[in-house]
Amino acid sequence: GKQVLCPVITLRDALVQSGHEETPIDLLKIDAEGDELSVLEGLTDKDWASIRQLAVEVHDVDDRLATTRALLTAKGYTVATVLQQTEVVDGYLSVVPPALALHYVYATRV
């Protein structure tokens, strides 16, 4: 395969560079192919205060699901999880191998 180099920045840096560091975030969706915790851990207290809801896709390996739930709960969110499973969606078969241990984590703050 061909190697492709690309810059990587934190969500915090992306918010600052786009001029949205002061903008309230109604819903933050994170799907970082196994690096979701790294994204969450890169947020500042100021960022956390501006985020009302999160939807995070978590592969439950190395206790990532429990760690993610604990972090979100500690930040003041109510947390719910849903195991992704193989299903038919709008007439299409969505296959999720059980070995992926893939969960959606939903967090809301009232």
Side-chain angles (χ1 to χ4, degrees):
K2 181 180 176 183
Q3 186 177 26
V4 177
L5 298 177
C6 63
V8 177
I9 63 172
T10 64
L11 178 56
R12 160 98 310 252
D13 289 343
L15 291 170
V16 170
Q17 289 176 15
S18 65
H20 291 286
E21 67 270 21
E22 301 295 328
T23 304
I25 300 171
D26 291 323
L27 174 64
L28 176 61
K29 182 181 183 301
I30 302 172
D31 180 358
E33 300 306 321
D35 283 322
E36 293 77 16
L37 272 173
S38 296
V39 172
L40 295 173
E41 290 168 346
L43 295 172
T44 66
D45 287 340
K46 188 175 181 180
D47 297 328
W48 283 110
S50 71
I51 302 168
R52 194 168 61 85
Q53 300 177 90
L54 295 100
V56 185
E57 187 176 88
V58 176
H59 298 264
D60 191 19
V61 294
D62 300 326
D63 212 25
R64 288 182 195 162
L65 181 60
T67 303
T68 300
R69 288 182 58 94
L71 173 63
L72 293 170
T73 299
K75 295 296 182 182
Y77 293 90
T78 299
V79 180
T81 60
V82 176
L83 176 65
Q84 287 185 317
Q85 299 178 351
T86 296
E87 62 183 327
V88 175
V89 178
D90 294 330
Y92 294 93
L93 181 62
S94 174
V95 177
V96 180
L100 285 180
L102 198 56
H103 296 260
Y104 285 128
V105 178
Y106 301 101
T108 58
R109 188 184 322 221
V110 289

